[in-house]
Amino acid sequence: MTTGKVLYEVKNVSKNYGSVQALTGVSLKLHAGEVIGLVGDNGAGKSTLVKVLSGAHQPSEGVVELDGEERRWDSPHDALVAGVETLYQDSGLAPHLSVSSNVFLGREKFSKGLLGKLGFLAQKDMDRIAHENLEKVGIAVPQSNRSVSQLSGGQRQAVAIGRAVSWASKVIILDEPTNHLGARQAGEVLAVIQQAKKRGLGVIFISHTLPHVLQVTDRIVVLRLGKIVADAPTSTFDAESLLGTITGLIEK
Amino acid sequence: MSSPVVAPSRIKSLFGNQQFILLLVLFAMVAFFTWRNPVFFSNAVFGNILADWSPVVLIAVGEFFVIVSGGIDLSVGSTIAISGVVSAFSMRALTANHVGQNMTLFLGLLTCVGIGILVGSINALLITKARIVPFIATLTTMGAGAGMAIVLTGGSQIGDGPAKAISLSVPDFGPLSRPGIVIVFIVAILWVIMGKNRFGRYTYAIGSNSFAARAAGINVNRHLAKVYILSSVLAGLAGFYYYLLLSVGAPTSGQGGELQAIAAVVIGGTALAGGTGKLSGTVLGALILTTVTSGLIMINVAANWKQVVVAILIAVAVLIQEFRSTGGTGSGPIRRLLTRNSK
Ligand SMILES: Nc1ncnc2c1ncn2[C@@H]1O[C@H](COP(=O)(O)OP(=O)(O)O)[C@@H](O)[C@H]1O
Ligand SMILES: [Mg+2]
């Protein structure tokens, strides 16, 4: 199922917001070509773990290791450069910007020569490449110079996921990417996840929709009140036992 | 791609174009004022309007960058005053020490830019480090700047600078003066930067969704610092412009400038919520503002009516924005502003 090598690892991570203890002693291994489902009730700490993994927050305790090397992300930028892409819950897109401007946000292509050195943008190239890259990961969007605010919720989510998948070189973290999506669109998202896995990326998939989790993941990690209460192959769960583990009715 | 466009939709899209509407408003005003007083349509009056417009467009464009980034800068008016006054003091001292006029003017200009950098840096620190909301942060520097300008001068104007200052602000490029030409040039560069450069792109992105901008690896705080410094430096340049115009540094120069700047931006079709807007709209907004001011004087309307007319223009601009962005979906900027949770 997995191709062996540990890609991304969290060792004994805790995180508190003031007096709120959001994560306690969380350890997790993600392998190349593996899809992990991260599940848990609201407030269990999933988004907090995502922010630690993506460099948006520093852990209060513990370390993260990428390719066996301890890393300290001072900002999301550090993690992006290292190949860790994240799709945050609640919009990682700038709605007023175009699709391609969003795809290239923070990684703009510049004009040739002096103008490029002065920060002038090669917008046509970006429009074209954004379109190609999104198509490559299986996402058909309208013209990439359309503003994101003109897209439907599903299309926006597709663009956000497409951006993350096309830039990721190692790890991709998706925080509730199928939220607010219809069945068909959610199916497309799951297909994109499968594709990322085939490319050898490590994927962390967070969702409340348990059938999706059971369908697309290799392993499931259950968080409850900031602690990992289960970490086992997906084949050992069914819908009922998974729900029981999340709510605490079943101790694993 | 290039399917033939039917006439009605072309007209509709023309009217959906804020710049086009603004030009119509401007022409209508010129026509109205000329009808009421034919003298209005003259090089001299246009020269006056452009002389008023030059400093206003500087601070309005600075305000535009700030507002697009999702903030507000209330300190631009008092930065005009404090930079003009401090630079007037230094030019008076240099003149008393027989430093050449060109050198003196150059050092006076540098002083204005320096004060701008200083005020902008203070704004940036308050906003990005002390995490004070821009409205309050720049309200603080606005009060401090205006107060210091009065204290330093005792309320009087500071003259005795280089004699040739006044000669620089006569219109010798058609209706524009030499400083006016420089200002047009600066605005043109900023227009290109806003539309084609990464600096503009990041400004829009941060105003549109600062969390997304940060997640994309943009150093949001550093960029915002640059935006506020830009705004204050442009205000400093406006301070120098007023010095040239009046040949004195006056602590009252720039009074109410922040409202003029914000009004120009809003009339120009930029949403106060940030993330969107066109710089060309702001340029036209500033021109409409200064045209109204001159025009009302020319047709002998009491000066206080100006405020009313400006208020109406702002209201109409906001209504047009609401109408255009709603497009039947019921989610215009006013509603979004009211229902917006945190950025
Ligand atoms: N920025 C924050 N400040 C304070 N508390 C927070 C913050 N973010 C999350 N929390 C708290 O941390 C806990 C975990 O939240 P979160 O990671 O968002 O959980 P989940 O994504 O699993 O719903 C919750 O109790 C939540 O209220
Ligand atoms: Mg969450």
Side-chain angles (χ1 to χ4, degrees):
Chain A
M1 242 189 312
T2 65
T3 57
K5 191 173 75 125
V6 176
L7 195 58
Y8 204 24
E9 185 169 0
V10 177
K11 286 183 171 166
N12 216 6
V13 158
S14 300
K15 171 77 190 173
N16 56 290
Y17 300 103
S19 63
V20 179
Q21 188 73 28
L23 293 175
T24 314
V26 167
S27 297
L28 186 66
K29 281 185 182 141
L30 175 67
H31 300 79
E34 180 184 38
V35 182
I36 290 186
L38 183 61
V39 295
D41 230 336
N42 277 329
K46 305 180 297 292
S47 293
T48 303
L49 182 54
V50 166
K51 283 174 183 157
V52 168
L53 290 169
S54 68
H57 288 337
Q58 278 79 48
S60 314
E61 268 172 58
V63 294
V64 297
E65 288 183 1
L66 186 67
D67 283 331
E69 242 178 83
E70 183 177 329
R71 304 298 289 261
R72 192 193 137 79
W73 312 132
D74 287 321
S75 76
H77 183 72
D78 296 351
L80 291 176
V81 171
V84 178
E85 281 289 325
T86 305
L87 174 67
Y88 296 92
Q89 184 178 10
D90 308 323
S91 167
L93 297 180
H96 300 92
L97 301 193
S98 71
V99 170
S100 66
S101 302
N102 268 287
V103 168
F104 277 94
L105 191 57
R107 298 167 160 124
E108 285 75 11
K109 274 186 125 14
F110 297 109
S111 315
K112 292 198 176 67
L114 179 65
L115 280 182
K117 288 210 176 67
L118 291 173
F120 283 87
L121 304 169
Q123 193 58 44
K124 288 233 169 71
D125 289 354
M126 289 196 276
D127 287 345
R128 180 176 49 78
I129 298 171
H131 194 77
E132 290 169 4
N133 287 357
L134 289 178
E135 272 191 339
K136 230 178 270 167
V137 296
I139 289 162
V141 279
Q143 298 112 300
S144 55
N145 56 10
R146 282 261 298 274
S147 147
V148 162
S149 62
Q150 295 171 323
L151 304 182
S152 71
Q155 285 174 321
R156 283 183 209 199
Q157 196 64 347
V159 169
I161 293 164
R163 173 178 73 174
V165 173
S166 66
W167 286 116
S169 60
K170 291 187 173 144
V171 175
I172 168 160
I173 303 163
L174 303 166
D175 194 355
E176 308 207 12
T178 54
N179 251 11
H180 316 301
L181 294 190
R184 192 180 55 81
Q185 290 161 331
E188 282 167 13
V189 170
L190 298 184
V192 171
I193 291 176
Q194 297 287 13
Q195 234 203 20
K197 172 187 160 78
K198 267 196 217 119
R199 275 173 51 200
L201 298 176
V203 181
I204 297 179
F205 173 52
I206 293 154
S207 178
H208 282 294
T209 315
L210 300 185
H212 290 166
V213 177
L214 289 166
Q215 181 189 336
V216 81
T217 63
D218 303 307
R219 201 149 55 84
I220 295 179
V221 173
V222 182
L223 271 177
R224 197 189 314 138
L225 298 174
K227 290 186 181 135
I228 291 185
V229 293
D231 180 346
T234 303
S235 55
T236 64
F237 290 98
D238 59 26
E240 207 173 315
S241 68
L242 184 53
L243 188 62
T245 314
I246 290 170
T247 54
L249 293 176
I250 298 175
E251 295 296 337
K252 221 173 152 107
Chain B
M1 294 278 0
S2 55
S3 61
V5 188
V6 283
S9 82
R10 191 186 290 162
I11 289 171
K12 204 176 148 202
S13 78
L14 212 51
F15 276 91
N17 179 334
Q18 191 105 15
Q19 274 65 18
F20 180 74
I21 297 177
L22 290 171
L23 276 176
L24 278 188
V25 170
L26 191 60
F27 286 136
M29 281 179 167
V30 171
F32 175 77
F33 291 131
T34 307
W35 169 53
R36 301 307 305 270
N37 182 354
V39 177
F40 183 85
F41 203 87
S42 64
N43 242 338
V45 172
F46 293 157
N48 281 339
I49 291 177
L50 288 178
D52 290 345
W53 170 81
S54 301
V56 173
V57 79
L58 273 182
I59 53 175
V61 164
E63 193 74 60
F64 171 79
F65 276 85
V66 171
I67 287 178
V68 169
S69 80
I72 193 99
D73 186 353
L74 299 179
S75 68
V76 291
S78 70
T79 301
I80 288 178
I82 188 75
S83 63
V85 161
V86 173
S87 142
F89 274 121
S90 61
M91 286 190 280
R92 178 160 82 180
L94 290 165
T95 303
N97 285 300
H98 309 292
V99 176
Q101 294 203 43
N102 287 338
M103 190 52 159
T104 301
L105 285 168
F106 178 68
L107 292 175
L109 174 65
L110 282 190
T111 307
C112 284
V113 171
I115 297 277
I117 293 175
L118 184 68
V119 176
S121 304
I122 295 171
N123 284 338
L125 283 176
L126 291 176
I127 292 163
T128 65
K129 296 282 181 246
R131 304 240 145 246
I132 299 172
V133 293
F135 189 93
I136 303 297
T138 59
L139 188 66
T140 312
T141 45
M142 168 188 168
M148 271 170 66
I150 301 282
V151 170
L152 287 177
T153 59
S156 50
Q157 304 184 329
I158 309 303
D160 302 325
K164 82 188 268 190
I166 193 96
S167 67
L168 285 175
S169 49
V170 296
D172 46 11
F173 286 86
L176 272 173
S177 63
R178 264 177 269 179
I181 289 284
V182 173
I183 287 172
V184 168
F185 191 65
I186 291 173
V187 168
I189 290 176
L190 291 172
W191 178 69
V192 175
I193 285 180
M194 199 59 185
K196 308 256 180 241
N197 192 281
R198 180 173 62 178
F199 187 84
R201 177 65 46 84
Y202 285 7
T203 308
Y204 282 113
I206 291 169
S208 181
N209 182 346
S210 65
F211 184 76
R214 192 172 123 78
I218 296 172
N219 189 333
V220 171
N221 283 344
R222 195 173 62 195
H223 189 83
L224 287 180
K226 289 181 195 166
V227 168
Y228 281 92
I229 290 172
L230 172 68
S231 174
S232 295
V233 165
L234 292 174
L237 291 177
F240 190 69
Y241 179 91
Y242 279 115
Y243 182 90
L244 294 181
L245 197 67
L246 309 170
S247 246
V248 293
T252 51
S253 285
Q255 236 170 33
E258 58 287 337
L259 291 182
Q260 280 183 301
I262 294 167
V265 172
V266 172
I267 292 171
T270 298
L272 284 176
T276 172
K278 289 214 163 78
L279 191 145
S280 53
T282 295
V283 171
L284 286 173
L287 194 53
I288 287 174
L289 269 185
T290 40
T291 304
V292 170
T293 312
S294 296
L296 291 179
I297 293 169
M298 297 277 307
I299 64 171
N300 291 319
V301 170
N304 290 333
W305 276 101
K306 180 197 141 192
Q307 252 80 349
V308 177
V309 175
V310 170
I312 292 172
L313 285 172
I314 291 176
V316 170
V318 171
L319 281 177
I320 290 175
Q321 262 181 50
E322 184 76 3
F323 175 76
R324 289 191 332 136
S325 75
T326 321
T329 64
S331 62
I334 292 180
R335 221 158 288 129
R336 240 183 292 134
L337 210 71
L338 292 175
T339 57
R340 179 164 68 136
N341 23 37
S342 62
K343 249 216 181 113

